[in-house]
Amino acid sequence: MEFGTILVGIILVNNYVLAQFLGICPFLGVSKKLDSAAGMGVAVIFVMVLATAATWPIMRVLDSFEIGYLQTIAFILVIAALVQFVEMALKKFIPALHKSLGVYLPLITTNCAVLGVCISNIDEGYSYIEALVNSFGAGVGFLLAMVIFSGMRSKLEGNTAIPQSFQGVPITLVTAAFLSLGFMGFGGLV
């Protein structure tokens, strides 16, 4: 499969957040500020690519021993270890970003988008390089969704034209739905 097709498909058409509805917790929780949203997006890209780099060969080992049913457990353990590594690195080298991400950084461990991309790479039958490209694209799609949504939320912040009953979580969910509908326009691209 061509790498460009994989990238366009996963970033725009099959975006993990906006089309597959995976990774909604950090999408809604960290998208209030642009810098936090971008930082979370970059961290997710890093974890997705590293998780795929580790889980793809692990799946081959599990399959060779005919214990592929341990896939989810093995993948979760690998992802948890990688997130701990990222958290320690951010705490040491970029403490401001570590503090701004707060509780959402450890939540990457339970971010179903990270686990979803690792499992989807296996299910789609991607080669190792294709799986890495798909994971990178999925992370870029996550980052794109986070940054766009953060911009939309900043425009809604303090807007007095929003009815009282829609302020807060309701308008956030409606805005996320409109963003998702906007990405549906890319449906026939690949």
Side-chain angles (χ1 to χ4, degrees), residues 18 152 171-184:
L18 301 173
M152 294 172 79
I171 194 66
T172 300
L173 295 176
V174 168
T175 305
F178 282 133
L179 181 58
S180 181
L181 285 171
F183 269 67
M184 285 179 65

Side-chain angles (χ1 to χ4, degrees), residues 13 32 45 87 92 96 124 181:
V13 179
K32 288 182 182 178
I45 291 172
E87 185 175 14
K92 181 173 175 107
E124 294 292 327
L181 285 171

Side-chain angles (χ1 to χ4, degrees), residues 28-143:
L28 295 174
V30 186
S31 60
K32 288 182 182 178
K33 294 182 180 177
L34 179 61
D35 58 339
S36 296
M40 174 61 87
V42 170
V44 167
I45 291 172
F46 185 70
V47 170
M48 279 185 175
V49 172
L50 282 182
T52 295
T55 57
W56 195 91
I58 287 173
M59 191 61 200
R60 298 298 172 247
V61 171
L62 293 175
D63 284 343
S64 70
F65 288 110
E66 297 182 6
I67 53 173
Y69 56 87
L70 294 176
Q71 173 190 50
T72 303
I73 294 170
F75 286 10
I76 288 173
L77 290 173
V78 169
I79 292 166
L82 288 171
V83 169
Q84 289 301 313
F85 169 73
V86 169
E87 185 175 14
M88 289 186 304
L90 284 178
K91 190 173 187 178
K92 181 173 175 107
F93 298 113
I94 313 172
L97 179 58
H98 179 266
K99 186 176 180 175
S100 72
L101 292 176
V103 71
Y104 292 100
L105 186 58
L107 285 178
I108 293 176
T109 301
T110 59
N111 185 342
C112 53
V114 177
L115 180 61
V117 76
C118 293
I119 292 174
S120 132
N121 287 329
I122 302 299
D123 290 346
E124 294 292 327
Y126 287 143
S127 69
Y128 188 68
I129 300 300
E130 288 173 336
L132 290 174
V133 169
N134 186 57
S135 297
F136 177 75
V140 170
F142 186 86
L143 172 65

